[in-house]
Amino acid sequence: MVDFQAEKSVVREFHATLEAAVGDEIIDAVSTFATADYSWRGYHPFGEITTAEAVAETFWRPLKDALRRMQRREDAFFAGTNETDDHETVWVVSMGHLMGLFDAPWLGIRPTRKLVMLRYCEFHRIADGKIAETAMYFDIPHLMVQAGQDPFPPQTGTFLVQPGPRPHDALLYGPQVPEEGRKTLALINAMISDLGQWNSGMTLEEELARTWHDDMLWWGPHGIGATYTIERYAKQHSGPFRAAFTERSKTQHRCRLAEGHYGGFFGWPNFTARHTGGFMGMPATGQAGEFRVIDIYRREGDKLVENWIFIDLLHYWKSQGVDILKRAVSL
């Protein structure tokens, strides 16, 4: 049985060391666990960063200075081999919230001196006992609304500080039965196949029912929001999204994996599409744009039942000529 215990231990030790680090120790913490050619991809405005020292100085240190006494509140943790490179590499996934006291400005967002929670999900590629590559997406607009600086018009779904999985069983620190992960990955792939065509010949709800439980929970990013049941997901996100875009490219994932009843993927970007209809309360631009997305799924039986979604909406809207972050923090 491939248990990924060594790779999981690297990430768990990194998390513990980083949480305890202050000041210059933050640079040491990231450098100790990263390879010399470390590559990090993050949510706008961070983008691609290519050294551990730069990641620490550009992202981790300013964030920890702003969110004092920051804790990682982890909801999901699992590992697996990457299907997109024929299972050559091993990745470890962590998802949850970074919680702290918002005591200093961050990215121009005004501090509240109150408790806030920054949604995050990260994929780490482990090589020779070190972290060689990371994709880390957050939900900065979700933090902004907690600080009273909501950057978006009212959303189709619901704003929530989002919970973890209903069974509270996604912290897969120990080894799992491989067959369960294979079932989860096969179901995710079937869903991707349906999602990518937009012309199945079925109604949207019929199409979704092929791979989704009727009581599905879709925990979307702020600006779109969360929604519950196939019927409401179709009306409150999937239907409006499909109506707003044309010329959707094929799906392009850099990593896709599963372990146990949990799995997910990320892309850089996942796909491109042309904005030809209104979306998120904003008029069509007619321009193509990139969607950088992380999706995490929970399988129950032979259906997907929960989905946590991170979409870099700040990057997307900037590609459409709207700098959401700059506009919101200048108000």
Side-chain angles (χ1 to χ4, degrees):
M1 180 185 294
V2 180
D3 59 19
F4 311 115
Q5 290 302 97
E7 291 84 1
K8 290 178 180 179
S9 292
V10 170
V11 175
R12 293 189 71 190
E13 290 173 20
F14 168 60
H15 287 171
T17 303
L18 181 63
E19 184 163 311
V22 295
D24 290 342
E25 295 171 354
I26 298 170
I27 299 172
D28 294 337
V30 180
S31 300
T32 297
F33 287 89
T35 59
D37 59 349
Y38 183 48
S39 171
W40 188 93
R41 294 181 177 89
Y43 196 102
H44 179 82
F46 297 99
E48 296 187 67
I49 306 176
T50 54
T51 70
E53 293 80 3
V55 172
E57 289 282 18
T58 305
F59 175 67
W60 283 114
R61 189 165 183 173
L63 180 63
K64 292 197 71 175
D65 285 345
L67 271 58
R68 303 284 165 78
R69 303 179 71 162
M70 192 174 77
Q71 292 183 3
R72 183 181 299 266
R73 310 286 293 193
E74 195 166 54
D75 293 316
F77 184 87
F78 58 90
T81 55
N82 181 8
E83 185 181 59
T84 70
D85 63 13
D86 201 25
H87 300 282
E88 288 293 318
T89 55
V90 174
W91 294 70
V92 178
V93 179
S94 173
M95 182 192 78
H97 295 82
L98 299 174
M99 182 193 82
L101 297 168
F102 196 4
D103 283 356
W106 186 60
L107 303 176
I109 306 168
R110 295 186 297 271
T112 64
R113 297 192 56 79
K114 296 179 181 179
L115 176 70
V116 292
M117 301 183 82
L118 175 63
R119 295 180 66 223
Y120 81 90
C121 189
E122 57 188 6
F123 281 60
H124 297 292
R125 178 169 63 85
I126 309 301
D128 299 322
K130 297 255 187 173
I131 302 171
E133 184 177 353
T134 296
M136 187 171 186
Y137 296 3
F138 347 102
D139 195 340
I140 291 173
H142 189 268
L143 176 69
M144 294 172 74
V145 74
Q146 294 172 69
Q149 292 176 264
D150 192 342
F152 292 126
Q155 54 206 62
T156 51
T158 301
F159 167 78
L160 295 167
V161 174
Q162 298 178 4
R166 186 181 183 188
H168 301 283
D169 62 352
L171 297 175
L172 307 186
Y173 296 138
Q176 305 297 309
V177 178
E179 179 58 25
E180 295 300 327
R182 286 192 284 270
K183 289 178 183 177
T184 302
L185 189 57
L187 185 57
I188 290 171
N189 284 333
M191 179 274 302
I192 292 168
S193 179
D194 286 348
L195 182 68
Q197 53 182 324
W198 288 18
N199 59 355
S200 64
M202 296 179 280
T203 68
L204 177 54
E205 292 184 27
E206 289 171 340
E207 177 190 309
L208 291 166
R210 287 162 48 90
T211 53
W212 290 97
H213 193 285
D214 188 56
D215 282 343
M216 66 174 287
L217 276 159
W218 193 84
W219 301 108
H222 183 66
I224 299 172
T227 188
Y228 174 46
T229 75
I230 284 178
E231 183 239 344
R232 298 300 169 90
Y233 170 66
K235 287 180 171 63
Q236 294 174 354
H237 174 63
S238 190
F241 187 84
R242 292 190 186 196
F245 293 93
T246 56
E247 299 177 29
R248 186 191 192 279
S249 71
K250 290 186 179 298
T251 301
Q252 307 165 64
H253 293 153
R254 288 183 175 263
C255 181
R256 187 166 61 247
L257 59 89
E259 187 182 27
H261 290 254
Y262 293 88
F265 53 72
F266 82 89
W268 191 266
N270 294 53
F271 64 94
T272 60
R274 189 171 301 280
H275 184 205
T276 54
F279 179 54
M280 294 175 58
M282 302 189 198
T285 65
Q287 300 178 47
E290 293 183 343
F291 285 88
R292 297 173 177 173
V293 184
I294 283 179
D295 273 83
I296 302 297
Y297 299 89
R298 177 170 75 89
R299 174 179 63 85
E300 188 174 285
D302 61 355
K303 294 292 177 71
L304 297 172
V305 69
E306 287 192 87
N307 182 197
W308 294 262
I309 306 90
F310 299 77
I311 305 175
D312 192 342
L313 291 171
L314 298 186
H315 169 75
Y316 170 74
W317 282 115
K318 191 168 185 185
S319 77
Q320 303 299 294
V322 183
D323 191 330
I324 297 290
L325 183 62
K326 182 178 180 180
R327 181 179 71 178
V329 301
S330 64
L331 294 177

